[in-house]
Amino acid sequence: MASISVCPGSFDPVTFGHIDIIRRASKVFDKVYVCVLNNASKHPLFTVEERIVLLKEVTKEFGNVEVEDFHGLLIDYARSKNASAIVRGLRAVSDFEYEMQITSMNRVLDESIETLFMMTNNQYSFLSSSIVKEVAKYSGAVSELVPPVVEEALRVKFQEKK
Ligand code: PNS
């Protein structure tokens, strides 16, 4: 039986940190579904469609990765894909409380689907979509943080907002 996992997130926008986790998950699982979901506590900069386009572009080299969006509960999406695991990246201790809360909630909803954590590569331990947006908003250099296609999308987005 094929091993299937879901890499969920807001991906607003996708960063090198996300790509590192997706790449590593794609080596562990036969199939990885990267899913753009709504985080109720965030106000996204990019539309879901824009985020999907960027994610597809930056993951196209991974043959077993598919990108989709889902409007609903992550656990329902994972079930619909017959996934045995949800993969999340863990950066610092500060991530832990939030991750523990959503992991525990998802386990209450369906204990058969495990959440697995991958420690973020040290070079990306400080990196978040929020910090990238903050820097890009004021025209700071983000080329070390996101792929060129995302850098350009950020430039266009903040240009539109002026
Ligand atoms: O990249 P993020 O914002 O940390 O990802 C959080 C996300 C989108 C995975 C989380 O908010 C989520 O699972 N949203 C879907 C709604 C859901 O299932 N909520 C119940 C778990 S708390």
Side-chain angles (χ1 to χ4, degrees), residues 75-122:
I75 208 77
D76 288 334
Y77 176 78
R79 272 198 204 119
S80 75
K81 295 295 169 190
N82 287 320
S84 57
I86 293 164
V87 176
R88 294 279 289 172
L90 204 55
R91 288 167 300 190
V93 179
S94 49
D95 278 345
F96 183 78
E97 204 171 317
Y98 168 65
E99 294 298 335
M100 195 179 84
Q101 190 181 25
I102 62 172
T103 300
S104 303
M105 189 63 244
N106 285 330
R107 195 180 303 118
V108 168
L109 294 171
D110 189 335
E111 65 178 7
S112 72
I113 299 176
E114 287 291 347
T115 299
L116 304 178
F117 293 97
M118 284 187 182
M119 289 304 298
T120 303
N121 200 311
N122 280 352

Side-chain angles (χ1 to χ4, degrees), residues 8-11 37-40 42 72-75 88 98-99 102 105-106:
S10 309
F11 302 107
L37 288 133
N38 180 46
N39 181 334
K42 290 182 180 171
L73 291 174
L74 165 58
I75 208 77
R88 294 279 289 172
Y98 168 65
E99 294 298 335
I102 62 172
M105 189 63 244
N106 285 330

Side-chain angles (χ1 to χ4, degrees), residues 10-63:
S10 309
F11 302 107
D12 184 46
V14 60
T15 68
F16 282 138
H18 295 128
I19 297 167
D20 178 54
I21 297 294
I22 294 166
R23 179 185 56 78
R24 286 157 57 195
S26 77
K27 288 185 178 167
V28 175
F29 292 90
D30 297 322
K31 181 88 193 179
V32 176
Y33 290 97
V34 175
C35 186
V36 177
L37 288 133
N38 180 46
N39 181 334
S41 62
K42 290 182 180 171
H43 302 286
L45 175 68
F46 291 96
T47 66
V48 170
E49 292 72 24
E50 289 168 334
R51 285 179 265 165
I52 295 268
V53 167
L54 293 173
L55 272 164
K56 283 191 173 164
E57 179 62 28
V58 302
T59 59
K60 66 181 181 201
E61 69 193 89
F62 310 130

